[in-house]
Amino acid sequence: ALAVHPKNPEIVYVGTSIGLFRSTNSGVAFEPGGTGISDPNILRVVIVAKPGTDEVNGYALSGNAINYDYGLDGRWNAYTKLAVIASDFAVNPNDENQVYVSSLGNGVYALEATTSTSPIDPSNPESETQKTADVTRWQQRNSGLSNTQVFSVALNPNNTGTLMAGTSLGYVYLSTDVAQTWSERHRGIPTDVLYIGGTFSGSHPDFLAALDTSIESTNYFLDWNPASSDRVESLRLANNNTLLYAGGAFTVIGGQQ
């Protein structure tokens, strides 16, 4: 799992099977990404900047818990755990309490929570404060979602009531009412340039490739080939889409170790 700091693309968070790590120099070196996450198997990381403020918040998925770090100061907490194992999640950058989670077989859940601010040291009211989530619960929202094998969920940051869910068999569902209802919109991949990780046959790159699906062709693969030595499992674009971070099982990519 990879996430790039929205205000500084040199800061990168990486989720691994042994914990969360942070780099402040574009991945040259890493350090622990904070404390407080009980399950070290980090499946997904999201870093969002709250518009109109200096606030940057972090979120990490591990098992059936969504962990959060309001202010990204290294102190992680967890929302009330889900009763199912989550596959993905999305966050409204305007509201840290608007979180959506996808699951395989149980569809989509929405978080209902409030936040409060209290001293980090309860015995010292003058100590530094920390914002935490209160009264958290998850509400299942599957109306119209006929396929509940949901692998991914995404939120439109310019219209935060709009979400999309990707399911098995190549189905994509759309909600325009904060996940209250869903409608099937598309099968397959969208018309755009995509970066994908996988295992490809023939003359294509082995593990990481770029596709241009806007062209009329049976071969969407572009000539770009970073020559990854093994699986690519996570991709993130940054710096106005001029910088691509890749994470996976490889030891060599783009000629670099």
Side-chain angles (χ1 to χ4, degrees):
L2 282 170
V4 182
H5 196 291
K7 295 182 179 292
N8 184 352
E10 292 188 354
I11 300 177
V12 184
Y13 284 80
V14 175
T16 73
S17 61
I18 59 171
L20 180 69
F21 296 89
R22 183 184 74 157
S23 171
T24 58
N25 52 12
S26 300
V28 176
F30 284 89
E31 61 187 8
T35 60
I37 299 178
S38 59
D39 186 342
N41 187 22
I42 310 298
L43 304 175
R44 175 105 156 85
V45 185
V46 172
I47 308 296
V48 296
K50 198 167 186 177
T53 73
D54 294 328
E55 184 176 344
V56 179
N57 298 321
Y59 303 83
L61 166 62
S62 57
N64 61 346
I66 302 293
N67 305 275
Y68 64 89
D69 180 0
Y70 296 152
L72 213 59
D73 58 7
R75 295 188 293 260
W76 292 83
N77 293 280
Y79 297 117
T80 298
K81 290 186 176 181
L82 286 152
V84 299
I85 301 299
S87 57
D88 194 13
F89 71 96
V91 180
N92 180 353
N94 299 297
D95 183 356
E96 62 269 12
N97 293 322
Q98 191 176 347
V99 181
Y100 302 91
V101 170
S102 62
S103 66
L104 299 180
N106 292 279
V108 174
Y109 292 80
L111 175 72
E112 294 183 355
T114 59
T115 55
S116 64
T117 302
S118 58
I120 294 174
D121 180 3
S123 64
N124 180 12
E126 302 301 321
S127 66
E128 185 181 355
T129 59
Q130 180 181 22
K131 185 165 65 173
T132 56
D134 299 319
V135 197
T136 61
R137 73 185 185 97
W138 296 96
Q139 183 182 54
Q140 199 170 26
R141 294 189 179 176
N142 290 342
S143 178
L145 193 68
S146 56
N147 186 342
T148 56
Q149 293 284 337
V150 184
F151 288 94
S152 60
V153 62
L155 180 144
N156 183 347
N158 298 316
N159 183 357
T160 55
T162 300
L163 295 98
M164 300 196 79
T167 72
S168 61
L169 305 177
Y171 285 88
V172 176
Y173 290 82
L174 172 71
S175 173
T176 58
D177 55 7
V178 292
Q180 296 290 345
T181 59
W182 297 89
S183 59
E184 182 188 334
R185 302 298 292 179
H186 188 67
R187 278 193 183 189
I189 56 179
T191 303
D192 206 341
V193 176
L194 304 175
Y195 292 100
I196 60 172
T199 302
F200 312 110
S201 60
S203 59
H204 307 310
D206 291 332
F207 300 106
L208 177 58
L211 280 69
D212 185 354
T213 62
S214 65
I215 59 178
E216 293 293 334
S217 172
T218 57
N219 181 14
Y220 296 108
F221 284 83
L222 300 177
D223 292 335
W224 180 68
N225 183 1
S228 174
S229 63
D230 207 333
R231 298 189 316 275
V232 173
E233 299 172 345
S234 185
L235 295 169
R236 288 293 179 271
L237 279 169
N239 203 27
N240 293 322
N241 295 338
T242 62
L243 183 63
L244 178 67
Y245 287 97
F250 54 83
T251 56
V252 178
I253 189 169
Q256 299 183 43
Q257 292 186 341

